[in-house]
Amino acid sequence: MTGPTTTAGTYSSALPTPRPHLGHALASEWTKLTSVRSTLWTLGSLVALVVGIGMIAVLQTSSIDYTSIPFTGPALFGLMVGQVAVIVLGVLTISSEYGTGLIRSTFTAAPERLRVLTAKYLVFGSVAFATTLGSVGFVGLAAALLHSGAAAGAHGWDEVTGAVAGSFYVTLLGMLGLAVGAVVRHSAGGIAVMLGVVTMPPVLGGILTVWPATEAVGLTVLRYNAPVGLIQLIGLQDSGVDGQPAPSDLAQLSLIVAVTAAAIVASYVVVRRRDV
C-alpha cells in the first residue's frame, strides 16, 4: 500500500484534492437546506396554505366567477399568508448558522465567503420558486378542470405568466429575507424587519394620506407595496388609488427586483468585511 509522500518538507496526499468550486458550495448548501426541520415546516406550511385555502376558494366558486379572474386567482388567498413562510425560511437559511455557530465551520471549510453566499441564494431561490409555483399551479389546474367551459369565458397563457411572475415575486421576498438575515445575523431580528417591510407600508401609506403635506407620499406607498404588487402580478388588477391608475406589472416587479438586488449587494459587502 502506497501512502502519502514527502519531499523536501512538502506533503502530497494520496487522495484526490480537486480545487473547490461553486458546485461544491451548491451541494453543501443543498444538504444543509434539505436536512433541517425548518425547511420542512416552512415550505410545508406554504403548500398547505396555498393549496388548502385555494381549494376551499375553488370549491366555493362557479364557472361564471372566472370571467373576471384567472384560474390561479384562488391561490392568492393562501399565498398572501404563505409568503411569510418563504420570508421566514429565507432569513433562517443563514441566520440559523450564526445562531448555532455553524457559520464558523462553514467559512473555515470554505474560506471563499462570497461563493458560499452565492450558493445560498441559488439553492434557496430555486427551492422557494419551485415550491411556490407548484402550489399556485396546482390550484390553477384544479380550478381549470372544475370550472372551465363557455361560462368561464376565455383564458390565455397570460395566466401562466401571472403565476410565474407572482411566484417569482414571493421568491424575491424570500431572497430579500436571506439578505437581511446575512446583514443582521439574528433570526428574530431579520424576521421582524421583513414582516415590517411586508406589512407596514399599507398601514403607513394610509396614515400619511391623512395630512395634505404627506398625502402624495402616502398614495405612492399605497400603490407600491408587497401585497399590492403580488395581487397585480397574479392577475387581479385593481382600479388604482384615489383615481390614480394602478402601476404596471413591470413597475411592481422592477421595484422588488431593485430593492432585493440592493440588499443582496449589501449582504456581499458586509459578509466579506466581517470577521464572521
Side-chain angles (χ1 to χ4, degrees):
M1 179 177 178
T2 303
T5 60
T6 58
T7 57
T10 62
Y11 175 81
S12 177
S13 174
L15 300 175
T17 54
R19 185 175 182 178
H21 53 73
L22 180 60
H24 296 141
L26 289 172
S28 174
E29 293 305 322
W30 170 260
T31 300
K32 283 189 282 187
L33 185 66
T34 56
S35 60
V36 295
R37 291 192 182 95
S38 60
T39 303
L40 176 63
W41 284 108
T42 52
L43 293 184
S45 63
L46 168 68
V47 174
L49 287 167
V50 175
V51 174
I53 298 177
M55 288 306 299
I56 292 174
V58 168
L59 295 175
Q60 296 298 316
T61 56
S62 60
S63 297
I64 197 172
D65 294 322
Y66 294 93
T67 56
S68 57
I69 65 173
F71 284 127
T72 54
L76 178 66
F77 299 107
L79 195 58
M80 292 293 287
V81 181
Q83 64 181 332
V84 176
V86 178
I87 293 170
V88 169
L89 181 59
V91 175
L92 293 178
T93 296
I94 190 168
S95 64
S96 60
E97 290 195 52
Y98 281 106
T100 60
L102 179 61
I103 196 69
R104 296 180 183 274
S105 301
T106 298
F107 287 153
T108 299
E112 183 53 59
R113 299 183 175 194
L114 302 189
R115 181 189 297 147
V116 173
L117 191 56
T118 299
K120 286 184 180 294
Y121 282 119
L122 292 176
V123 171
F124 167 78
S126 300
V127 172
F129 178 74
T131 305
T132 305
L133 182 59
S135 302
V136 173
F138 181 89
V139 176
L141 180 60
L145 291 175
L146 292 174
H147 299 296
S148 62
H155 293 267
W157 285 101
D158 57 320
E159 296 187 12
V160 177
T161 303
V164 172
S167 300
F168 183 57
Y169 194 93
V170 172
T171 302
L172 287 176
L173 287 175
M175 295 182 71
L176 178 59
L178 201 162
V180 170
V183 172
V184 303
R185 298 182 294 180
H186 192 274
S187 297
I191 293 171
V193 169
M194 286 305 302
L195 289 179
V197 168
V198 173
T199 62
M200 284 304 297
V203 178
L204 180 62
I207 294 174
L208 291 176
T209 57
V210 174
W211 299 285
T214 58
E215 183 179 6
V217 176
L219 291 175
T220 301
V221 173
L222 288 176
R223 295 172 70 227
Y224 293 94
N225 58 73
V228 170
L230 180 58
I231 291 171
Q232 284 192 211
L233 291 173
I234 286 292
L236 300 179
Q237 297 286 350
D238 57 34
S239 58
V241 178
D242 196 31
Q244 300 182 24
S248 66
D249 293 351
L250 180 60
Q252 295 284 10
L253 196 57
S254 298
L255 177 60
I256 188 62
V257 167
V259 172
T260 304
I264 289 175
V265 170
S267 71
Y268 277 115
V269 173
V270 171
V271 168
R272 184 176 183 179
R273 290 184 176 180
R274 278 195 306 234
D275 291 337
V276 177

